[in-house]
Amino acid sequence: MKQHRSVAIDGPSGAGKSTLAKRLAEALGYLYVDTGAIYRTVGLQAFRTGADPSDPAAVIPLLQDIQIRLAYGEDGLQHMYLNGEDVTAEIRRHEISAYASGVSAIPEVRAFLLEQQRGLAEEHDVVMDGRDIGTVVLPDADVKIFLTAAPEARARRRWLELKERGQETAFETVLHDVLERDERDTSRAAAPLRQAEDAVLADTTEKDLEQSLELLMHIVKEHLQA
Ligand code: DC
């Protein structure tokens, strides 16, 4: 029997998922699980070993040699460990996004990471964000939200985020990458990004962070009480 509560948040990159999911988890007292970070960690391994992330024959053998661990620091933040090394900062690099997107299209990679994600939801109340949480990972989640925004708004947020991290990138490059990644994430055969039938659509194009959080809190409260 299901003992823990779960909130699944899916949507394309730059919709504000991670920031909002983290804030929502804090407000609810749940554990925040960023599943994109797990795919990024596999992507990082492909990057480091020179494997072509779109080639299953190059990526699948890597899975035998990697141990991925999630841990929560005293700061309350999710840290990612790749074979014991803290790679939390490195997986955020812009180059790693395309690697993460590439490896995430490989069914064997998704299967390899599935149990770890489900295990976290079995042991904790979670707010979990990703692309297939409501459709595949936690089909019985108490609340499912599909969070989205117009591509230009998402690219602008990503561009600002990179700038704050000291990675100056042309806006056009970021927009191009956002559109390309949307295309790859929605058209792939394995667990493509799509809204679960029972998910609530939340569009943040015209909303700032606080307004978006208010909308999400409203959706969650309505569904957790139901
Ligand atoms: O959310 P993010 O940008 O950190 O995710 C990195 C990549 O991982 C993204 O291209 C999609 C993929 N991903 C996925 O396929 N399934 C998830 N549950 C989370 C992320």
Side-chain angles (χ1 to χ4, degrees), residues 35-36 39-40 100-101 104 110 130-132 158 181 185 188:
T35 64
Y39 286 94
R40 283 173 177 274
S101 179
S104 72
R110 307 200 70 86
R131 304 294 191 285
D132 63 338
R158 185 64 99 197
R181 211 137 67 95
D185 292 345
R188 70 184 179 205

Side-chain angles (χ1 to χ4, degrees), residues 21 77 124 175:
L77 294 179
H124 309 271
L175 178 61

Side-chain angles (χ1 to χ4, degrees), residues 157-185:
R157 291 173 194 163
R158 185 64 99 197
W159 177 77
L160 278 171
E161 198 183 303
L162 288 167
K163 198 170 161 196
E164 275 163 20
R165 281 203 212 109
Q167 274 203 291
E168 295 277 349
T169 319
F171 174 75
E172 288 69 26
T173 307
V174 180
L175 178 61
H176 175 265
D177 289 357
V178 161
L179 292 171
E180 203 175 63
R181 211 137 67 95
D182 279 3
E183 171 62 22
R184 260 203 309 264
D185 292 345

